[in-house]
Amino acid sequence: LFKYNQYKKEKFLEEQKQKEEKYLNEFKEKYMDAPEMYEYETLSIFINGNPFENVKHYFKPFDDYEDGKDCYPIGTITSVKRKKQKNGLTMAYIELLTPEKMIEGMVFAKQYAEYQDILKKGSNIVVKAKKSGEQFIVDKIKTLEFWKNERGIK
């Protein structure tokens, strides 16, 4: 009985160590490369630097785009609400914190299937969309880092 209890204790301690290492690795990967995202996730605001500060001049403010025309909103995803459609496919509504304000976008099933790995709270994205009133309908999404790398921006 003693050996069994000792085995269970060692197994438990090993599992705890693995969980802790996994958590620390995820934390380092997510926040140490971008401390501003830690600030944002903790406080819901950027204090020491907005990740879009050095690229926002490449984009017009969302309100400057004409309704029904292509637009290019940029920002941080603050919320993703997934919804099953009658046909069984998943779509999503996202809230995007742009450098100017909060806007909402719709991601239909085809785009959701293609970009679901990017559609996470805290993701910094550049979107090609169609403006529809105060919302946008997603056509394509790129991460901010991918977009910057394509253009050689640091």
Side-chain angles (χ1 to χ4, degrees):
L1 186 63
F2 175 75
K3 285 188 177 212
Y4 178 75
N5 285 341
Q6 187 66 28
Y7 167 76
K8 291 296 262 181
K9 179 181 175 185
E10 288 173 10
K11 186 176 178 183
F12 172 78
L13 291 174
E14 182 61 31
E15 287 173 357
Q16 290 300 106
K17 184 178 176 187
Q18 287 175 355
K19 284 181 186 176
E20 186 177 321
E21 285 176 8
K22 180 181 176 202
Y23 173 79
L24 288 173
N25 288 338
E26 286 174 359
F27 180 86
K28 286 177 187 173
E29 183 179 307
K30 187 172 185 181
Y31 298 120
M32 296 317 223
D33 289 340
E36 70 274 0
M37 292 314 297
Y38 180 68
E39 284 175 357
Y40 176 77
E41 194 159 302
T42 305
L43 305 170
S44 296
I45 58 171
F46 293 107
I47 294 174
N48 291 321
N50 186 317
F52 295 93
E53 197 60 42
N54 63 343
V55 297
K56 70 181 183 181
H57 62 278
Y58 290 102
F59 301 92
K60 293 193 310 191
F62 184 72
D63 290 339
D64 290 356
Y65 290 104
E66 285 185 47
D67 197 25
K69 302 283 184 186
D70 284 348
C71 63
Y72 298 89
I74 61 170
T76 303
I77 296 175
T78 60
S79 166
V80 180
K81 295 178 184 130
R82 290 163 186 79
K83 183 178 178 186
K84 282 269 192 217
Q85 296 176 305
K86 289 179 184 176
N87 60 10
L89 299 174
T90 302
M91 67 170 294
Y93 294 94
I94 61 172
E95 286 183 350
L96 194 65
L97 177 64
T98 70
E100 298 83 35
K101 66 179 193 171
M102 186 80 73
I103 55 176
E104 185 176 86
M106 291 190 303
V107 185
F108 288 116
K110 179 182 174 200
Q111 285 78 11
Y112 180 82
E114 187 174 347
Y115 301 115
Q116 64 184 334
D117 56 325
I118 298 173
L119 293 171
K120 294 184 174 83
K121 182 179 178 180
S123 292
N124 294 322
I125 60 172
V126 176
V127 182
K128 179 181 185 263
K130 183 87 61 191
K131 185 172 182 181
S132 177
E134 290 300 308
Q135 297 181 327
F136 60 92
I137 300 169
V138 170
D139 182 27
K140 296 181 182 193
I141 301 174
K142 293 181 181 180
T143 65
L144 177 63
E145 287 306 310
F146 184 83
W147 183 87
K148 284 166 57 173
N149 287 341
E150 278 185 329
R151 284 153 184 81
I153 299 170
K154 298 273 180 215

